[in-house]
Amino acid sequence: MTEWPAGAPHPLLLIAELTYRCPLHCPYCSNPTDIGASKYQDELPAADWQRVFREAADLGVLQLALTGGEPMARKEIVDLVATSTEAGLYSTLVTSALPFPRRRVEALHAAGLDHVQISFQHSDPALADEIGGTIAFERKVKAAALARELDFPLTVNVVLHRRNIDAVESIIEMAVALGARRLELANTQYHGWATLNRDALMPTRAQLERGEEAVGRARERLGASLEILWVLPDYYEELPKPCMGGWAQDAVLVQPNGDVLPCQAAASIPGLPLDNVRERSLREIWLESEMFNAFRGTEWMQEPCRSCPLGREREDHGGCRCQALALTGDAAATDPVCQFSPHHEAIVAARREADEPEPAAPPPLVYRDLIPQ
């Protein structure tokens, strides 16, 4: 094996999207809107996933996110966890908890699964089921109890948006009651299915401010007993975040069919060929593929990013390439979230629209399904 090229980044996180099958229909799902396409139905065999996990460990990957869709829909999930444990990866099951049967969860524990993250859509059972598009809340509560009984570190994840952000205080209390060690309050980012629902999901600035104040009070009250992560939506930032730690800097994502991406939405960028782990090793793809090298480093940057001292100091890597494409038509443009972007008005206009009085009948949600959009 050749030496690692000088200056080349090492991936630290492997996101394994084992399947796009899922019992939930969340309107903010980050999966592609064409998840019903035939290419995603040809799921990577377990033996290939196991090889990918070993290759990832050899690259220096430390953390493995087993996700989807719903990863528990893969019948080989226990064997996959066992392989990740043998490879020395810290494994997190990112699950809807539908299903979460005791015998299989006990087998996952025995196989070395390190961490369980369960998604909730709201603290109110009826509203949670409405947002998720299926009856699920009570089953999730039982799953959280089982995870704690088996002494898994438990994270509760709630994607926030206009229809649940006013319940932040009760969501925090729900996480405490469930025995979670960590609560992720991640405001919706507008990729995947959320792009179809932006008008229905984007909160007002007042809602965000109230939510952030509630988080601050809870952090002061709860201290270290519950770690609360609060992530602003990009649309309310003035400077961009380094998407996924920067393009092809920290993370590598493998889709159910074996295609490899730097982030969930990278396949939306035209002109970048997709590489697949059935045909090339993870090392080759990470180091040599056109997709991973397209926006790595700074040489690709346009102005004002190229000469901006703030970008270099903050290491924001120009922000999100997929967001730049969606809002400007050019994946190499400055992320419009940035106040210095010539396209920043697109973000400001979206904020203004969100602050307009809500109509008596809120916009209908486009629920995630397996029908190609």
Side-chain angles (χ1 to χ4, degrees), residues 81-93:
V81 167
T83 299
S84 74
T85 302
E86 292 166 5
L89 300 173
Y90 182 93
S91 56
T92 295
L93 181 73

Side-chain angles (χ1 to χ4, degrees), residues 14-151:
L14 171 63
I15 302 169
E17 294 185 331
L18 301 180
T19 179
Y20 284 152
R21 289 172 284 153
C22 185
L24 297 182
H25 305 279
C26 304
Y28 48 75
C29 181
S30 64
N31 289 165
T33 56
D34 64 343
I35 50 176
S38 59
K39 65 177 181 177
Y40 297 127
Q41 309 312 307
D42 182 19
E43 294 180 352
L44 202 63
D48 283 335
W49 276 116
Q50 290 169 313
R51 172 178 54 82
V52 168
F53 295 171
R54 290 189 285 266
E55 290 180 357
D58 289 342
L59 289 181
V61 167
L62 301 175
Q63 297 189 53
L64 169 66
L66 297 161
T67 182
E70 174 46 61
M72 292 287 277
R74 288 293 299 249
K75 66 180 185 299
E76 317 94 337
I77 186 67
V78 175
D79 293 336
L80 296 180
V81 167
T83 299
S84 74
T85 302
E86 292 166 5
L89 300 173
Y90 182 93
S91 56
T92 295
L93 181 73
V94 182
T95 180
S96 68
L98 280 72
F100 205 73
R102 173 178 285 274
R103 289 183 63 182
R104 185 179 251 196
V105 176
E106 289 174 341
L108 289 172
H109 187 275
L113 181 68
D114 292 295
H115 175 214
V116 171
Q117 175 178 305
I118 299 177
S119 67
F120 281 78
Q121 285 63 47
H122 203 293
S123 53
D124 179 276
L127 294 176
D129 292 346
E130 178 184 340
I131 293 167
T134 193
I135 297 173
F137 183 86
E138 295 301 335
R139 294 169 66 185
K140 289 172 178 285
V141 170
K142 291 177 181 178
L146 175 57
R148 295 299 301 121
E149 178 188 332
L150 296 176
D151 205 29

Side-chain angles (χ1 to χ4, degrees), residues 198 202 235 237-238 327-328 334-354 356:
R198 195 184 79 181
M202 190 162 166
Y235 275 54
E237 302 273 16
E238 293 297 334
L327 293 173
T328 75
T334 300
D335 187 338
V337 164
C338 181
Q339 60 188 305
F340 302 115
S341 165
H343 302 282
H344 186 57
E345 175 56 29
I347 294 290
V348 175
R351 295 175 194 163
R352 284 198 299 264
E353 291 172 10
E356 290 177 359

Side-chain angles (χ1 to χ4, degrees), residues 211-234:
E212 193 160 17
E213 289 168 2
V215 167
R217 292 192 299 270
R219 284 173 174 163
E220 185 174 351
R221 176 171 55 87
L222 297 171
S225 64
L226 177 66
E227 179 187 358
I228 305 175
L229 177 67
W230 168 265
V231 182
L232 270 176
D234 285 357

Side-chain angles (χ1 to χ4, degrees), residues 120-128 137 158 164 167-172 174:
F120 281 78
Q121 285 63 47
H122 203 293
S123 53
D124 179 276
L127 294 176
F137 183 86
V158 182
N164 66 2
V168 163
E169 288 186 347
S170 64
I171 289 170
I172 293 170
M174 176 187 72

